[in-house]
Amino acid sequence: MTEPAGSARTAAALTRRSLLRATGAGALAIGPLGTMAGCGIPPARRGGDGPTAPDRSADEKRVVFSNWTEYMDVSEDGERHPTLQDFTRRTGIKVAYTTDINDNVEFFGKIRPQLAAGQDTGRDLVCVTDWLAARMIRLGWARPLNPANLPHAYANLAARFRSPDWDPGRAHSYPWTGTATVIAYNAGATGGRTVDSVSQLLDDPRLAGRVALLAEMRDTVGMTLLDLGKDPAVCTDEDFDAALARLRGAVDRGQIRRFTGNDYTADLDSGDIAACLAWAGDVVQLRADNPDIKFAIPASGYLSSTDNLLVPAGARHQTNAEKLIDHYYRPPVAARLAAYINYVCPVDGVRAELARIDPSMADDPLIIPDAATAAASHAFRSLGGAEEAAYEEKFATLIGA
């Protein structure tokens, strides 16, 4: 049955993205994790590269999965997660599903002591954003995955997600969802004018004081780099500084109203913000209730990122966790998840299944990118610890954080 596009599902998606982005990467450079990276403190034990902890999957038919709030399909009565129930029925493996990830930095702070000591974190599967996934892999704190347990994942992972520079060949991770950073605007607030470039956001005097940019460094700087003709995947320090200078000029002229987390959504919906950088999942939801909300993918392209499933070092049930990852790469299962959370689905073959649930979602390039949309996608390159701290500090100065 097609799910309603109303307020309950909207609130779910917006709450989840707010938690992720408002408190995510920006805190990394100035929090405990940034301090560790900046000082070059190595992990006490490289669990991902060392001996594998005994896998108790055969004897203990369970898996512990830590995820974000409102990032899983829910039954109409709000009591069950149908796709997890399907997994248990099919495999006999019970899932202890917890939504104990409030933001990346806080969550990593919870599990870092155990990982550094080579101990079990109590979790078999975690979902973290790409920059934190990269850090865990670099520290040796994510287990290499066994391809034999991932036949659907291997076969159905969309090509654009197959080999990020921080995990070539997806040896340690598979994406849960993708997130696209695009331009959103309220046509009522712009007088019907289209806003489809970062240059308009930064320079158009008709938008002065009614523009919001994101408080996530990679998204705002990355989109500005693209507008300058630079590729965020290979940007230099000089490129980064040029993008910051471009942004500084717009800030000093009063063009930018504010840098935001997810809270741009209310102001965009009301028209207090005329145009902004936005996350595609939010735009899908806002458009369902407000026909004035439009989006544009600039000719220069857009930024994409992923939330990723990893098996942390020391996990007790790695095989069971791998089977759960594989479960979500079965197109009918992936479609059910995408229909609920409305983020970019990384699974090939999901379109026909999603059309059975909601045809409009199957045709939405913000959920299933078409070839042109996928080709316009760019990722911000992986950063080393000291480099990341330096970039974040400069950006924090710009936005007044």
Side-chain angles (χ1 to χ4, degrees), residues 291-309:
D292 280 340
I293 302 301
K294 312 292 184 183
F295 81 95
I297 295 176
S300 56
Y302 67 95
L303 257 289
S304 61
S305 60
T306 53
D307 289 338
N308 307 273
L309 301 173

Side-chain angles (χ1 to χ4, degrees), residues 46 133-142 166-167 172-173 310:
R46 290 186 60 85
R135 184 172 291 265
M136 289 179 65
I137 292 167
R138 186 167 66 247
L139 291 171
W141 291 347
W166 48 268
D167 189 20
H172 302 81
S173 69
L310 294 88

Side-chain angles (χ1 to χ4, degrees), residues 102-246:
N102 292 317
D103 70 70
N104 286 288
V105 173
E106 178 188 71
F107 180 68
F108 192 73
K110 291 179 184 178
I111 64 175
R112 181 162 59 95
Q114 289 87 2
L115 291 170
Q119 298 172 354
D120 178 15
T121 66
R123 299 162 177 87
D124 302 304
L125 190 65
V126 299
C127 182
V128 296
T129 306
D130 44 22
W131 55 265
L132 181 52
R135 184 172 291 265
M136 289 179 65
I137 292 167
R138 186 167 66 247
L139 291 171
W141 291 347
R143 294 300 312 160
L145 300 175
N146 182 355
N149 295 324
L150 297 158
H152 296 92
Y154 182 82
N156 295 330
L157 177 61
R160 59 182 288 219
F161 295 102
R162 281 192 175 270
S163 194
D165 63 355
W166 48 268
D167 189 20
R170 289 287 180 182
H172 302 81
S173 69
Y174 271 88
W176 180 248
T177 63
T179 299
T181 302
V182 298
I183 292 175
Y185 62 98
N186 186 315
T190 66
R193 295 188 304 276
T194 298
V195 181
D196 59 6
S197 72
V198 172
S199 292
Q200 286 174 275
L201 294 178
L202 301 183
D203 297 328
D204 188 339
R206 295 171 295 184
L207 299 175
R210 297 188 297 151
V211 171
L213 302 180
L214 293 167
E216 160 57 43
M217 179 271 288
R218 288 164 178 80
D219 289 326
T220 290
V221 175
M223 291 291 282
T224 305
L225 284 167
L226 289 171
D227 192 66
L228 291 171
K230 304 294 185 179
D231 184 353
V234 293
C235 68
T236 64
D237 291 348
E238 291 75 16
D239 294 335
F240 183 86
D241 289 343
L244 282 189
R246 178 92 166 86

